[in-house]
Amino acid sequence: MRGLLTSWQVWALGSAVFAALTAIFAKIGITEVNSDFATFIRTVVILLAIALMLTLAGNWQAPGTVPMKSWVFLVLSGLATGASWLCYFRALQIGKAAQVAPVDKLSVVLVAVFAVLFLGEQLSTVHWIAVVMIGGGALLLALPI
């Protein structure tokens, strides 16, 4: 069991499952609510849940121990997350979840490209083929149903 909890694949699969549930729950939840306000509610819930997890696990860290570079990039990541959520909820409110979610997952393609360009990561030919397939699949799912 301990091996499973240290496997990135298990955590990534968990992320995918919860992301899928996020789309379904959000689509149902925003039917009578402004999408921006719905994003606010979601953000407050996340903040409280993470604060509880940090408290239970004893993982709070003094802000002064976080290096400035980490602060800058974590703030940028937070701003990007907020913008992504606002766009995602607006798209879910006006579109079909089965089409919005796959287009949102074009982020997988963009992460691969950005990781190569900005982080110096390398992808094999097989991985590039997979990236192209993910992109193609997302685009096909975005076609009108």
Side-chain angles (χ1 to χ4, degrees):
M1 181 68 162
R2 182 176 166 95
L4 282 178
L5 294 179
T6 58
S7 166
W8 69 263
Q9 292 95 337
V10 170
W11 289 102
L13 182 58
S15 175
V17 169
F18 288 117
L21 289 173
T22 296
I24 300 305
F25 295 157
K27 181 66 177 174
I28 296 167
I30 62 174
T31 56
E32 298 178 29
V33 179
N34 173 279
S35 65
D36 294 340
F37 189 71
T39 302
F40 173 76
I41 293 170
R42 175 187 184 192
T43 303
V44 170
V45 170
I46 291 167
L47 180 65
L48 294 173
I50 291 176
L52 177 64
M53 284 186 262
L54 282 169
T55 301
L56 293 176
N59 285 335
W60 282 100
Q61 184 174 337
T65 65
V66 178
M68 185 53 68
K69 178 181 177 182
S70 293
W71 273 109
V72 168
F73 282 97
L74 290 172
V75 167
L76 289 172
S77 175
L79 292 171
T81 298
S84 173
W85 289 355
L86 288 169
C87 292
Y88 187 70
F89 268 51
R90 184 68 51 88
L92 274 177
Q93 194 163 50
I94 59 180
K96 295 180 179 180
Q99 291 177 303
V100 170
V103 172
D104 175 67
K105 295 312 172 220
L106 282 174
S107 63
V108 172
V109 173
L110 294 173
V111 166
V113 171
F114 293 166
V116 169
L117 293 176
F118 303 123
L119 302 177
E121 295 183 8
Q122 301 292 316
L123 294 179
S124 69
T125 302
V126 170
H127 288 137
W128 278 117
I129 291 169
V131 167
V132 168
M133 291 173 70
I134 291 168
L139 291 174
L140 285 175
L141 283 166
L143 294 173
I145 297 175

